[in-house]
Amino acid sequence: SAASDVYKRQDIYVGDFKNNLADGYGKQYEYKDGKKTGGWWGGEIKNDYLNGKGIIVHADGSKSEGNFKAGELNGKGIITWESGEKYIGDWVKGYRTGKGKYFYASGGVYEGDFFENYAHGNGVITWEDGEKYTGEWAEGYRSGKGKYFYASGTAYEGDFLKDNFEGKGVIL
């Protein structure tokens, strides 16, 4: 059970209980070897899980915040990784799914459709060097119809398959 897992990890929960489970509003602090790790989670809780508005902060500094269902981001949410990368957008059962914006540590930005954590559907990515792609995506790859703009001003418009020019296209 979640309660016995908490006991084994020596985590400390402070908050509301119902039927011997965390339920209502609360905060749990993570401990390892008797010391706080810096990780914690808190917010609206139902049956030992974040359910509603909440936040999870990991010991490495990464964090997830937004709407949760059964302990997973579900609805609108934000995740920020210790690398500086960040995603703001829609979530379904803990996966980036729907519309969102992903900020890369390198400075690039993808905005568009996601499905199960991948760019999938239509979207635009702009790289830190000014190059840009706008078009269709499949499982994280530029695939389908799209347009690639080089920093030099040259562009390719046409078919893509797994990030490569493939099929019919034209250099503009």
Side-chain angles (χ1 to χ4, degrees):
S1 80
S4 64
D5 290 342
V6 168
Y7 180 74
K8 288 177 194 171
R9 290 192 317 256
Q10 302 171 327
D11 294 349
I12 295 177
Y13 171 78
V14 178
D16 301 327
F17 287 88
K18 183 177 178 184
N19 295 324
N20 216 24
L21 297 173
D23 201 296
Y25 186 84
K27 190 171 184 179
Q28 181 164 313
Y29 301 90
E30 295 177 357
Y31 282 77
K32 184 176 181 182
D33 300 324
K35 296 179 182 164
K36 265 188 175 180
T37 65
W40 61 274
W41 59 265
E44 298 171 6
I45 300 164
K46 181 91 172 146
N47 296 325
D48 269 353
Y49 293 101
L50 283 174
N51 222 49
K53 300 270 185 221
I55 184 169
I56 299 171
V57 177
H58 298 278
D60 66 9
S62 60
K63 70 178 178 178
S64 306
E65 55 190 313
N67 295 308
F68 287 82
K69 185 174 181 182
E72 297 178 318
L73 279 168
N74 203 72
K76 299 290 184 193
I78 300 169
I79 189 166
T80 306
W81 289 271
E82 76 281 2
S83 66
E85 294 194 355
K86 182 179 200 174
Y87 171 79
I88 302 169
D90 297 332
W91 294 82
V92 175
K93 295 182 180 178
Y95 290 101
R96 296 184 301 269
T97 297
K99 300 283 185 193
K101 196 168 187 177
Y102 194 101
F103 299 86
Y104 294 89
S106 62
V109 177
Y110 169 83
E111 185 169 11
D113 298 329
F114 285 83
F115 182 71
E116 295 185 349
N117 291 340
Y118 291 106
H120 192 88
N122 289 296
V124 177
I125 188 167
T126 305
W127 288 275
E128 61 281 0
D129 63 2
E131 293 192 0
K132 178 179 175 178
Y133 170 81
T134 181
E136 297 174 339
W137 294 77
E139 298 179 347
Y141 294 103
R142 297 182 303 271
S143 287
K145 301 286 183 196
K147 194 168 184 180
Y148 191 101
F149 300 88
Y150 292 93
S152 66
T154 302
Y156 167 84
E157 185 172 10
D159 298 333
F160 287 79
L161 181 62
K162 291 194 171 183
D163 291 340
N164 295 303
F165 304 155
E166 185 77 30
K168 297 191 183 291
V170 61
I171 302 284
L172 305 170

